[in-house]
Amino acid sequence: MSRIDKWINEKEMPNLSNAERLIALLYDLGIASLDQLIILTGWNAQKINQALHDIRNRVPIPAMLKRDKKILAMCKKGEIKLSEAERLKLEASLKDRKAKLDKEREKWLVAYQAHKTAKAYYTLGVEGIRYATLMRREPFTKWKITPRQQTNHYHGINEILVRLRKAGIKENDWLCGREAEQELYYYFNRFKKRKKLPAKTKLYYRPDAYLVLDHQHDFFIEYDTSSESPSKLKRRFQNCLKLYQALKEVEAKLMPPIVWVTVRESRKRRIEEIAQEVLEDYRQDHDGENIIVPPSVCFVEGEDTKFFAGQIDPKPFWC
């Protein structure tokens, strides 16, 4: 069973509420839309919305706020009388307290839209992250909070998994970038010890996700929104090669092919060109060495699903 599924499965985790299950899932997904949550949980929209509501309601409405809202409602219906000054003062007070309540609730769950008619996205706030790490028995650090500015990136990563599910392909496992990083650090720490590198040396490269289809087919996943500059792409490819050489040193069992997914054909060609340039330069800089090159392919969104389904056999840009 996929690691993200175990949090949703009631037999695997019988003592969790639906709100807790969704907290665990959002921790893995980073940022997700309602339609993505429907596919990945198997729940209907009503069940998901109730769970989202329950997460935010971990900060309850204060009794005084409830009372004053009721007074204002009765005033508007003419059931009680307030002077104009009293009514305006009460409305201003309610607005201020409601804003403070929303701010506290966003520490658990943040919901936002680019504009009023846009798709809504959900991500955990600081208290939601803290709760998720407690459930997983992981240390809490604020860097685990997902930046809102990366909505398109996380949405694109999650869509790769969603398309698989829609195509009827059930993964054996799916690890978010954070979990894939933890798996890689096991081998990288051995490499650091062997090479006597400083303890603070960071992992050279972290994929966006790790997909296991079956025991013979697993892949690192990279999603490109077309926002990274050529220099950043070059550095990413260079660091990827650097990591694979380190993994080779310790005979790591986690050295899968890499699948890149991007937004359009012209960007795909640019990614492949940059990757080729970096590989040629890396081989020149390490002449005479046995360079490990991970087989890598790139797709425009949607083509990746055909590849995972075995319907197309693309030419790798690295092999």
Side-chain angles (χ1 to χ4, degrees):
M1 178 181 291
S2 177
R3 294 186 211 190
I4 63 171
D5 277 350
K6 77 172 185 177
W7 296 102
I8 302 301
N9 190 287
E10 294 183 9
K11 291 182 180 179
E12 286 287 319
M13 298 286 183
N15 299 319
L16 297 182
S17 66
N18 288 340
E20 289 170 325
R21 297 182 197 284
L22 207 53
I23 286 173
L25 181 60
L26 283 170
Y27 180 72
D28 274 338
L29 299 178
I31 298 173
S33 60
L34 179 62
D35 54 343
Q36 289 179 336
L37 293 174
I38 288 172
I39 295 297
L40 297 177
T41 60
W43 300 351
N44 58 33
Q46 183 180 2
K47 187 174 181 179
I48 292 171
N49 283 325
Q50 183 60 55
L52 292 168
H53 177 77
D54 291 344
I55 295 172
R56 285 179 63 82
N57 273 2
R58 286 176 173 267
V59 180
I61 300 175
M64 290 291 287
L65 180 58
K66 285 183 181 179
R67 188 206 67 176
D68 289 350
K69 285 176 70 176
K70 187 176 180 180
I71 290 172
L72 184 62
M74 291 173 69
C75 175
K76 289 180 177 180
K77 291 178 181 178
E79 296 175 2
I80 60 173
K81 290 185 178 181
L82 294 175
S83 68
E84 182 70 8
E86 287 174 329
R87 183 182 61 80
L88 291 174
K89 183 178 179 181
L90 181 59
E91 285 179 343
S93 172
L94 283 170
K95 184 178 179 180
D96 182 59
R97 284 181 284 166
K98 177 66 166 55
K100 289 179 180 178
L101 176 63
D102 287 342
K103 190 173 182 179
E104 287 301 306
R105 286 180 162 181
E106 285 192 350
K107 290 180 181 179
W108 281 91
L109 180 72
V110 181
Y112 56 90
Q113 299 167 276
H115 50 82
K116 286 185 179 180
T117 59
K119 182 183 293 188
Y121 290 93
Y122 303 93
T123 188
L124 297 176
V126 61
E127 293 302 324
I129 294 287
R130 194 188 306 276
Y131 196 85
T133 55
L134 281 172
M135 285 197 293
R136 293 165 176 264
R137 299 181 182 179
E138 293 180 9
F140 168 79
T141 51
K142 286 191 175 181
W143 66 262
K144 292 183 176 181
I145 298 172
T146 305
R148 192 180 302 189
Q149 297 88 338
Q150 294 184 19
T151 298
N152 290 340
H153 184 69
Y154 280 93
H155 181 264
I157 297 168
N158 296 337
E159 277 296 290
I160 295 169
L161 180 58
V162 167
R163 285 193 294 270
L164 275 178
R165 296 281 184 95
K166 285 182 175 179
I169 302 171
K170 190 66 175 66
E171 78 286 355
N172 273 10
D173 211 350
W174 173 275
L175 277 66
C176 65
R178 186 193 307 112
E179 289 186 311
E181 181 181 46
Q182 290 172 3
E183 296 287 334
L184 284 167
Y185 257 117
Y186 168 77
Y187 300 107
F188 190 65
N189 285 336
R190 291 178 58 211
F191 171 75
K192 287 196 296 183
K193 185 176 180 181
R194 181 175 295 187
K195 295 294 184 180
K196 298 181 180 179
L197 297 177
K200 291 184 178 180
T201 303
K202 293 184 178 180
L203 191 70
Y204 298 143
Y205 160 82
R206 188 189 94 164
D208 288 329
Y210 174 52
L211 168 66
V212 181
L213 288 179
D214 53 45
H215 296 302
Q216 294 181 325
H217 300 90
D218 62 331
F219 309 91
F220 281 152
I221 302 294
E222 287 287 350
Y223 181 73
D224 172 72
T225 61
S226 189
S227 61
E228 284 193 326
S229 65
S231 61
K232 284 187 176 180
L233 280 175
K234 286 177 182 178
R235 190 158 57 248
R236 191 154 181 78
F237 280 119
Q238 187 178 50
N239 288 337
C240 176
L241 288 169
K242 193 175 177 181
L243 176 65
Y244 271 71
Q245 310 322 304
L247 295 175
K248 176 192 68 173
E249 288 263 348
V250 294
E251 299 179 351
K253 294 182 180 179
L254 190 59
M255 298 174 63
I258 303 174
V259 172
W260 280 73
V261 180
T262 191
V263 293
R264 56 183 175 270
E265 186 64 34
S266 59
R267 180 65 172 182
K268 172 188 169 184
R269 290 194 296 269
R270 186 64 179 133
I271 286 171
E272 292 173 340
E273 289 169 359
I274 289 172
Q276 286 291 348
E277 179 185 353
V278 170
L279 180 57
E280 289 173 9
D281 291 343
Y282 198 90
R283 281 176 167 157
Q284 287 179 12
D285 294 341
H286 297 80
D287 188 34
E289 297 180 24
N290 179 25
I291 303 299
I292 299 298
V293 181
S296 303
V297 290
C298 188
F299 301 104
V300 176
E301 292 172 309
E303 293 177 349
D304 49 299
T305 312
K306 295 178 182 178
F307 169 70
F308 294 132
Q311 297 171 359
I312 57 175
D313 186 19
K315 181 181 178 182
F317 62 79
W318 277 1
C319 59

